[in-house]
Amino acid sequence: MASVICPSYSGAAVLRATKVDGCCAPVYEDPENPGNSGQVVTDAFVSVQVSPGEGDNGGGGGGGGGGGDGDSVTKANGQVCMQTVQCNPPQAYTLNLTLCALDPELVLIMKPTWCAIRDSAGTIIGFTAKGKANCDSGFALELWMNVFSGASAACRAGGAAQHGYLLFPCITNVSIGEFTVQNGPITFSFTGTTKRGSNWGRGPYNVLMDEGRPSPLPCPIADDDDFVQFLTTFPPPEAECGKQPVDGGIPEPAELYIQGVPGRDRCTVELRPDNHGFGAVEVDWGDATISKIRSYGTGTHTYQGCFPGQSREVTITVRDAQWPQIQTQKTITIPLPEDEPSLTVYQDPTDTTGRTAIVEVQLPPQAWCGAPDSDTTRCACPGESQIGRYGISVDWGDSAGPDRVQWIATEDDCRVRLRHEFETDGTFQVKVCRNDIDTWCAKEPFIAGGGLRPLIRFVEWRDNCTAAICVDNWDKGTVSIDWGTGTPEGRQVNVTPGEDIQFTYGENFRSRRPVIVVCSEAENKQCAGTLRPPPCPAAPTDCLQITPSCDTYADPSGRTISLALDTTCASGCLNTTAACNFYGDPTGRTVTLNLDTTCGRVSPCLAL
């Protein structure tokens, strides 16, 4: 059984407020723009009151979830007929901070629209309260609470003092509360609201001792995290008046999210690097092209010499702009394969009831494939993906409970084979989504029960858009095939199952994707699920045609040759270099023409 520490707390030592941007990421000090970041550590506070909020996120209840509101129906005799309890949506939290001393720069971190007042020496001596609302930025609040469980519990082995650490990663919409100028102590209160979707990550500070090493947060802040609390032996910061810069430290490698661009061919790639709030990155696209992507930005790049049917691998390298030695790489295929998973669903032939599904998934190489790292699995919470952004999520369509969706990692080659047994007969929609970009999904129906149906697999496309498929009817005789053309020719009967059954769609079907249905011609006429092969690929074309002719207009002697170059399918990818061929003709009248078509398809005619 895992060990657990159960401390109690009394009072607090210090708090730290850190400026965050509109995406709730820490604002790090920029050497080219000094003073843009900011953190203030103070012990001059009376209390921090935390309350479940009300309003847009729901009202009533407590602790970020709240108690459910009930609806009841009363019978005519006055007795309750039925009663339902609704689960309220998560709520934000309201924080009320009461200060016993005013640090102007702390106030300006909480209220960035207010204005600093400086004396003639430039020292900040106060602030001007402005009637401006600001929800585009905010601050993070950290608190170090004192441990109160007896003297022995306040220290661990080696004499390291313990504190309770509490983090609210994003607080916004701050307002000043009521205060009274009186004959006695004067306190000031500020109220703010927590905001989810923080990009605090693991934070810019060390707050934990991990096996004797100072470390930031053990896990990055997730999109739905409200606050974090744990026990730490790392000492709290020292309180001081005024603002200090936030040094970014050494960033972690960026995470890369890659997909195609809607409306563009698969030679254009979209890259969204998540640099964990550490600023811009430099991208080497793997073809001698380098560009910069700003923080939270997205970049696109079109690869030259990219044509259908001529795939190649390129390695994208992303470096932190300020720390170029911190980099990550991703190898992709150009032209970019389709972004959605490739999904094949069929019955397990070892289960004669027909209720067991075999699901084969192929992710594109731009997805996050392979096993997750140990930090990813360690930071997973119940009800969330235990493998982070790696692999796939699978919705089997046969449950409404917490087990409806499973998260599964793929092999390094982006493939995974799954087996699932359905408890009842019926048609179930099996849905598979990428975990890195979960908008890319594939869905296929599975017909459970009734025995084994024909198995149908796509083999390949051949000349003239001829599809080759493999059909197995489990020794039950012939099958009928509907090739999805909507014509009599596209419906075939008395077809003998085999490994190479072909149908020609013709040249007009290029870039289209058919729907194929195979049914057994045995008594029960059982049909397999639909098969949707990939689109029939476009036909390759020669990208260069040269037509020579004598240019008698420019040179009546007839010694000048004009070359008409047709490169309409090369997208401007042709470079020519002319030179006198003295080796072959000492008179210098022979010209050698070098044609560089490396960025386009090289015509076989040039080799003749």
Side-chain angles (χ1 to χ4, degrees), residues 351 353 355-357 398 419-423:
D351 179 8
T353 68
R355 288 184 179 177
T356 302
D398 60 346
R419 186 178 186 272
H420 182 76
E421 184 176 347
F422 292 88
E423 296 181 356

Side-chain angles (χ1 to χ4, degrees), residues 12-16 41-43 45 142-145 236-239:
V14 294
L15 67 77
R16 176 166 55 198
V41 180
T42 183
D43 58 4
F45 64 99
E142 299 165 280
L143 283 164
W144 281 261
M145 300 177 291
E238 295 290 334

Side-chain angles (χ1 to χ4, degrees), residues 138-468:
F139 71 101
L141 180 66
E142 299 165 280
L143 283 164
W144 281 261
M145 300 177 291
N146 297 321
V147 174
F148 179 76
S149 293
S152 61
C155 292
R156 298 191 66 181
Q162 295 186 100
H163 289 84
Y165 176 79
L166 184 60
L167 164 68
F168 294 89
C170 189
I171 302 172
T172 186
N173 195 25
V174 175
S175 61
I176 189 169
E178 183 179 285
F179 62 92
T180 302
V181 179
Q182 60 185 0
N183 183 19
I186 302 173
T187 60
F188 298 85
S189 64
F190 292 85
T191 301
T193 305
T194 60
K195 181 181 179 182
R196 298 186 186 95
S198 171
N199 282 280
W200 183 261
R202 297 181 67 191
Y205 314 112
N206 291 327
V207 295
L208 185 71
M209 294 297 290
D210 186 5
E211 296 182 347
R213 298 188 305 271
S215 303
L217 291 178
C219 298
I221 296 296
D223 289 343
D224 57 352
D225 290 350
D226 286 315
F227 63 89
V228 175
Q229 192 280 321
F230 56 81
L231 190 68
T232 180
T233 57
F234 190 84
E238 295 290 334
E240 55 185 326
C241 182
K243 183 178 70 172
Q244 301 298 321
V246 179
D247 296 325
I250 300 177
E252 298 179 11
E255 296 176 347
L256 309 183
Y257 300 87
I258 300 174
Q259 60 183 342
V261 179
R264 304 282 294 274
D265 62 28
R266 305 303 293 178
C267 297
T268 300
V269 174
E270 177 186 288
L271 168 64
R272 180 176 66 85
D274 182 356
N275 201 29
H276 316 293
F278 282 92
V281 297
E282 183 183 83
V283 182
D284 183 340
W285 296 96
D287 61 352
T289 303
I290 297 176
S291 61
K292 181 177 282 190
I293 299 178
R294 60 179 176 81
S295 185
Y296 309 117
T298 299
T300 60
H301 179 69
T302 300
Y303 288 89
Q304 302 297 323
C306 168
F307 295 98
Q310 300 179 28
S311 63
R312 70 177 191 271
E313 289 187 343
V314 296
T315 299
I316 299 175
T317 303
V318 176
R319 304 180 181 91
D320 183 84
Q322 196 168 3
W323 296 81
Q325 64 268 43
I326 304 299
Q327 66 178 35
T328 186
Q329 293 182 322
K330 181 70 173 178
T331 299
I332 63 172
T333 301
I334 297 298
L336 204 65
E338 295 298 322
D339 291 301
E340 64 267 15
S342 174
L343 178 62
T344 302
V345 181
Y346 58 93
Q347 291 172 312
D348 184 349
T350 63
D351 179 8
T352 57
T353 68
R355 288 184 179 177
T356 302
I358 299 295
V359 176
E360 295 179 353
V361 182
Q362 169 74 66
L363 288 181
Q366 60 265 29
W368 288 26
C369 304
D373 55 66
S374 58
D375 284 346
T376 297
T377 55
R378 177 171 56 89
C379 292
C381 293
E384 298 178 352
S385 170
Q386 304 299 297
I387 54 176
R389 295 290 188 177
Y390 289 85
I392 59 174
S393 65
V394 182
D395 184 344
W396 297 103
D398 60 346
S399 171
D403 297 331
R404 180 184 180 97
V405 176
Q406 295 178 338
W407 292 276
I408 301 170
T410 69
E411 301 294 334
D412 291 338
D413 62 358
C414 299
R415 297 176 183 270
V416 65
R417 187 175 186 268
L418 311 174
R419 186 178 186 272
H420 182 76
E421 184 176 347
F422 292 88
E423 296 181 356
T424 61
D425 293 354
T427 301
F428 302 92
Q429 294 291 333
V430 180
K431 182 180 180 181
V432 174
C433 298
R434 283 170 53 177
N435 273 345
D436 60 331
I437 307 178
D438 58 13
T439 54
W440 292 113
C441 301
K443 183 185 293 186
E444 289 292 341
F446 177 74
I447 305 173
L452 292 176
R453 292 171 171 77
L455 173 64
I456 174 175
R457 304 295 296 274
F458 179 73
V459 178
E460 64 180 354
W461 286 107
R462 296 172 181 166
D463 292 341
N464 200 24
C465 271
T466 297

